[in-house]
Amino acid sequence: QITLKESGPTLVKPTQTLTLTCTFSGFSLSTSGVGVGWIRQPPGKALEWLALTYWDDDQRYSPSLKSRLTITKDTSKDQVVLTMTNMDPLDTATYYCAHIRVRHYDSNGRSSSFDYWGQGTLVTVSS
Amino acid sequence: SHELTQPPSVSVSPGQTARITCSGDALLKQYVYWYQQKPGQAPVLLIYKDTERPSGIPERFSGSTSGTTITLTITGVQAEDEADYYCQSGDSSGFYTVFGGGTKVTVL
C-alpha cells in the first residue's frame, strides 16, 4: 500500500523560506520508473505543478518558479524535501506530494501520472 | 496561464452523460491524465494515457482523443460524481508537467 504524507510549517512570513517534507511508504525511489512530485493548489483555484524528482536523479522544476525551488530526495529515509525561497502571500496554498509513475517513454520525453497523493498541507503566508 | 484549456464548468442531470474537454497543441505528442477532486480531498487518478482506466475506477469514466482535444466522458452520471476534474500532460517540449484549469461538474 502506497502512502505519502506532507509535513512542514502551516504559517510562514513573507520573504522566509518554506521547507516541506514528503514521507512515503510502499515504494522505493530507487525503483525504475518511479518519482515523487510536488503540486500546490491556492484556495479555490487550480492545481499547479511545482517540481519532481525521478529514480535516476532527473529533477525538473516549473519554469515560472524554478529560481525559488529546490527538490531533494533521501532514498534511505523514503523522503523528498521541497524548499521554496522568498515566500509571498500569493504562495498561500495546499501543497501536495504525489507518487509518480512513468507511463511512457519516447522521443517526446517521459509521460508520467501522479498515481497516489498525500492528504496535502495548507501553508499560509502572512506577517 | 495554462497550456491546457478546460471549460470552467459542466452541468448534467443524473443518469445523463457529461463530457469534459482538454485542449492544447502539445496534446498531439503528449498523453493526457485525468484527475477527480472532491471538496477537501486530494485528487484521484481517473484516466491515464488518454484512455486507460486504473483498477478500481468505475467503467462509467472513459477517455477519448481527437487531435489536440482529449475528452473525459462520464456515462450515467451519479450524484457522487460532482467534483472538480483536472487534465494533466506534458508541455510542448515534453520536459515539464502542466495541469489544465479544471472543470467543475455539477449534478443537477
Side-chain angles (χ1 to χ4, degrees):
Chain A
Q1 179 190 7
I2 290 175
T3 64
L4 305 97
K5 187 171 185 179
E6 307 86 353
S7 59
T10 58
L11 179 65
V12 298
K13 297 183 187 307
T15 75
Q16 287 187 336
T17 294
L18 171 69
T19 299
L20 293 173
T21 300
C22 177
T23 303
F24 57 85
S25 63
F27 68 96
S28 171
L29 254 180
S30 299
T31 301
S32 179
V34 169
V36 170
W38 286 94
I39 304 99
R40 72 178 179 180
Q41 185 173 38
K45 297 192 176 182
L47 300 170
E48 179 185 17
W49 170 69
L50 300 177
L52 62 80
T53 183
Y54 286 111
W55 79 99
D56 57 359
D57 296 330
D58 182 1
Q59 297 174 341
R60 304 181 184 190
Y61 298 94
S62 167
S64 62
L65 293 166
K66 180 178 172 62
S67 64
R68 299 174 53 203
L69 295 173
T70 303
I71 190 169
T72 58
K73 64 182 175 80
D74 188 330
T75 305
S76 64
K77 291 184 178 179
D78 287 344
Q79 290 182 332
V80 172
V81 175
L82 180 75
T83 60
M84 179 179 288
T85 61
N86 194 24
M87 293 293 285
D88 181 273
L90 290 176
D91 296 315
T92 293
T94 296
Y95 287 75
Y96 296 99
C97 65
H99 166 278
I100 290 171
R101 177 175 169 180
V102 178
R103 296 282 185 174
H104 183 77
Y105 304 79
D106 64 15
S107 59
N108 294 314
R110 294 175 173 175
S111 183
S112 304
S113 59
F114 297 97
D115 283 25
Y116 301 91
W117 296 62
Q119 64 189 22
T121 184
L122 176 61
V123 178
T124 300
V125 184
S126 175
S127 55
Chain B
S1 65
H2 302 275
E3 293 189 31
L4 301 178
T5 301
Q6 298 181 236
S9 62
V10 168
S11 297
V12 59
S13 300
Q16 299 302 302
T17 296
R19 294 180 178 85
I20 305 164
T21 56
C22 178
S23 303
D25 291 341
L27 300 187
L28 279 176
K29 299 188 295 183
Q30 303 294 336
Y31 283 113
V32 165
Y33 304 86
W34 288 98
Y35 302 86
Q36 177 193 64
Q37 187 182 33
K38 296 183 178 180
Q41 298 182 20
V44 171
L45 178 66
L46 283 182
I47 298 289
Y48 65 93
K49 289 177 65 178
D50 295 346
T51 61
E52 304 296 320
R53 196 171 48 247
S55 61
I57 300 300
E59 292 184 5
R60 65 179 182 274
F61 293 96
S62 63
S64 60
T65 72
S66 179
T68 58
T69 298
I70 314 301
T71 301
L72 172 69
T73 300
I74 313 173
T75 304
V77 168
Q78 300 181 5
E80 66 196 53
D81 299 331
E82 187 162 283
D84 293 324
Y85 293 82
Y86 293 91
C87 61
Q88 171 245 316
S89 185
D91 74 333
S92 54
S93 73
F95 194 78
Y96 303 110
T97 297
V98 291
F99 283 94
T103 299
K104 182 175 181 60
V105 170
T106 300
V107 181
L108 302 171

